[in-house]
Structures are given as structure tokens and as C-alpha cells.
Amino acid sequence: MSRHTPPQRASYMCHVFSGDDLRVTSGANLGDVLEAVDELCEGDTYELAEEAQVAKLAIASESGVHLVGDGSEVGRAGDAVRLAGRLTVMGGDGGGIELLVIELPGTAGLTRHVLPLQPIEPRVGYALIGVSEDPGEVHLSDLTSFAFARGTAITLSSGAQRPVEDLRVGDRVLTRDHGAQPVRWTGQQTVRAVGAYAPVVITKDTLGNASDLILSQHQRLFVYQRGADRVTETAEMLVKASLLVDDDSVYIRKGGFVDYFTLVFDQHEVIYAECIPVESLELSPNTRQSLPGEMAEGLMAEFGDVAHAPAFGTEVGPDRLDPEYRRKLFKGGGGR
């Protein structure tokens, strides 16, 4: 008999790593992946696999009960989400990092996932210094950035360029679809530039950009595809910056800290950063819940629960942008 699950509209989302991507490299459980919380040993050192990828966990929450929501990249819609515990690890810089352990039903038993509350990255040893089966008062959101790095030049309605950090509410910016539009809200966050939080650098002229364009990995660019070999249903394609990485013309810059800035308009807009089209922040339950608390509160105060209609265009999946097509998009690129 087929399993029927009623629609589970996601309330918010977070980005998680598979527990199989965390392996003990030193200690009592040498070689093991992340096990049940009550089987872990303080003092073990874990490393994140080099090939580890974050996956979207969509959450449908009602009356304190968490279920996997529609559109989730892990789990099955309608399955229960169990917060199994909270781990504290110490990284190479001596700073403490907290990880939430999440368990989901799977066809072969429970699957474990980890939600880092601060960035983690591969090839760094994380010593387990604290284990608690009580996850505490937590909200399953994270700090995924949708933003421009400090110094990014944004095109104004006059055609002039202005660094994103100098834009103020009311400044009129050139948009692709609606002409000159006033900035309604700006936000800023500073994070360690590691793992999923390290910025993508698109070198000068790679996509026709006037200077190096530095974006968060989840920031989407607008690409108009010509010809019959397009990879999406529409000629208008939205592509995450991380999918353009070829480690030459486009690369991820790790280390230190990065200041990200976010722009919000009355609508979800395509604007121009370093002279190429990119998206503004799209207001939706998902994006609100993936921003830090103060930013989410600021958006709620300004816009309430308004949700934007997405800018026209089809988002490309990671399996659709092969290296050959990526090379066609690039315009020679400057490399590094």
C-alpha cells in the first residue's frame, strides 16, 4: 500500500551536514562516523569530510512539533524531526562551537544530521568537549547568508555606482524589471569566512563584471541563456554563486571574517552588482528564518509577514550546471 502524506508546508529551513561526514580522526572511537549521542566520547577529535555538502532541511512546525516539510533535501515530508542532543567542540583556534544533532527516520533506520550553530570546515580537527542529550531551547534556523560582501558596487538609478555598505533606505537603485526602485531595508552581518560562510569571488570580467564580485555562496545571479542548449525551462536562469566555482575564474575565499550586506525592496528584484544582474533578498518564511535574530526582527518590524513573488526565472539545480556549460557562461575570466 502506498504511503500517503498530506502536504507539509515548510515554516522555515536550516542547512545540515550528514552525520556520516563527521568522522573520528583521533580518540577512543577512531574511524567511526557520528554515532548516537549516548555513545559519544568526550576527547574524541572529529573532522568534516572534504567532500561534505550542506543540505536543506525544511521544517514544518506546529504546536511545538517538528516535521519534515515539503521541498526538504533530506528526510521525507511528514516524518518526525527529533532533536537528539547538543555537542560542544573546540576548533583549531580554541573557540567553542555548538552542534545540534538531528535524527530523522530512514528506510534502514535513523539517519543523523548535524546543524552547526557556528561555521565548521573540512580538514580541521574538532575536539569533543561537551555532550548533552538535552538540545536546550533552540530554533532550527541558521546563518546562511544571502548577501553582498563589503565594497560591492551597486548601480543606482542614475547609472552611478555606490558601495553596498553606503546605501541607505530611500536610495534609488536600478532594477531589471521595474526601473528605479527605492531601497526599503538594509541589513549587515559579520561571520567567520569558513565552510558554507566563506564568500565566492567571481574574478573581473568572468561574467562581464567590472571588478571582482564577492558574494555569499547562496546568493543567486541572473543569467540570460541564448540558443537551444539552455539548461532550464526558461531562458532566464537564476544560479547560486557556489555553482559557478571552478577554482580558477571563480573560487571560494576562506579565512578571516567577511562583512555581508543585504538589500530589500518592495519586490524581489534583479539589480546590478559590479554591472552584472543579481537578486535582492526575496522575503519568504524560509529566508526570514535563515537570517540572524536581529535581522529577522528588523524585517518583521518593517514588512510584517509579507512574502515576495519570486523574480521571473528558473533556478538551476547543482546537477544541471556541468563544467562545459559553466565554461560557456564565462567570458574568458581573469583567473587568479
Side-chain angles (χ1 to χ4, degrees):
M1 184 175 179
S2 63
R3 179 179 183 271
H4 175 71
T5 303
Q8 301 292 334
R9 183 177 180 182
S11 305
Y12 50 86
M13 70 174 181
C14 56
H15 288 80
V16 297
F17 290 103
S18 168
D20 290 343
D21 285 330
L22 276 176
R23 188 174 296 274
V24 179
T25 56
S26 175
N29 295 314
L30 181 65
D32 288 352
V33 297
L34 187 71
E35 300 290 348
V37 171
D38 60 3
E39 296 178 11
L40 303 181
C41 294
E42 293 186 13
D44 282 355
T45 297
Y46 287 81
E47 287 190 15
L48 183 66
E50 183 71 31
E51 66 276 10
Q53 297 288 326
V54 292
K56 180 176 71 175
L57 171 60
I59 304 291
S61 183
E62 185 174 351
S63 302
V65 176
H66 299 305
L67 302 176
V68 177
D70 292 333
S72 184
E73 295 174 348
V74 293
R76 298 175 300 184
D79 280 347
V81 176
R82 178 173 180 264
L83 304 185
R86 182 188 293 250
L87 311 180
T88 304
V89 298
M90 182 177 292
D93 60 1
I97 296 173
E98 293 191 316
L99 313 174
L100 294 181
V101 180
I102 299 170
E103 293 182 343
L104 304 174
T107 55
L110 290 176
T111 63
R112 293 185 185 87
H113 304 270
V114 174
L115 169 60
L117 299 185
Q118 294 85 31
I120 61 174
E121 59 183 328
R123 294 190 294 185
V124 173
Y126 294 97
L128 183 61
I129 61 174
V131 179
S132 174
E133 294 185 47
D134 179 6
E137 294 294 326
V138 295
H139 193 276
L140 292 181
S141 61
D142 58 13
L143 301 180
T144 301
S145 306
F146 295 84
F148 308 95
R150 179 181 293 275
T152 302
I154 305 296
T155 301
L156 303 179
S157 59
S158 66
Q161 307 284 306
R162 184 174 296 173
V164 64
E165 64 270 22
D166 292 340
L167 287 172
R168 300 292 181 265
V169 172
D171 288 342
R172 296 179 71 79
V173 168
L174 180 65
T175 72
R176 183 183 71 99
D177 298 312
H178 303 108
Q181 291 294 318
V183 175
R184 282 286 309 277
W185 189 86
T186 66
Q188 177 184 354
Q189 58 180 323
T190 301
V191 297
R192 291 179 59 218
V194 300
Y197 306 88
V200 173
V201 179
I202 301 174
T203 57
K204 179 180 178 180
D205 288 333
T206 296
L207 292 171
N209 40 308
S211 298
D212 287 358
L213 177 58
I214 305 174
L215 307 165
S216 71
Q217 294 182 35
H218 289 267
Q219 182 72 32
R220 295 185 300 181
L221 297 90
F222 177 89
V223 177
Y224 187 84
Q225 307 164 92
R226 295 177 174 83
D229 60 344
R230 65 191 190 198
V231 297
T232 58
E233 294 179 358
T234 63
E236 297 85 356
M237 177 173 72
L238 291 167
V239 57
K240 289 181 180 178
S242 60
L243 297 183
L244 297 175
V245 171
D246 66 351
D247 292 323
D248 182 20
S249 296
V250 182
Y251 62 96
I252 293 176
R253 188 181 71 191
K254 298 180 179 180
F257 291 81
V258 58
D259 296 328
Y260 285 123
F261 294 82
T262 299
L263 301 176
V264 183
F265 298 84
D266 286 318
Q267 302 176 76
H268 182 216
E269 300 286 3
V270 174
I271 63 176
Y272 296 88
E274 301 298 350
C275 300
I276 63 174
V278 296
E279 68 171 344
S280 66
L281 182 68
E282 176 189 349
L283 294 185
S284 71
N286 282 350
T287 54
R288 280 187 176 89
Q289 295 298 334
S290 64
L291 293 172
E294 290 185 3
M295 292 180 70
E297 290 168 7
L299 284 170
M300 179 59 69
E302 179 65 28
F303 295 97
D305 58 0
V306 168
H308 285 161
F312 184 74
T314 305
E315 182 169 1
V316 64
D319 58 333
R320 301 290 300 277
L321 205 64
D322 59 41
E324 179 61 29
Y325 189 82
R326 188 187 299 121
R327 283 191 291 270
K328 292 179 182 179
L329 292 179
F330 296 169
K331 299 180 182 301
R336 278 182 280 177

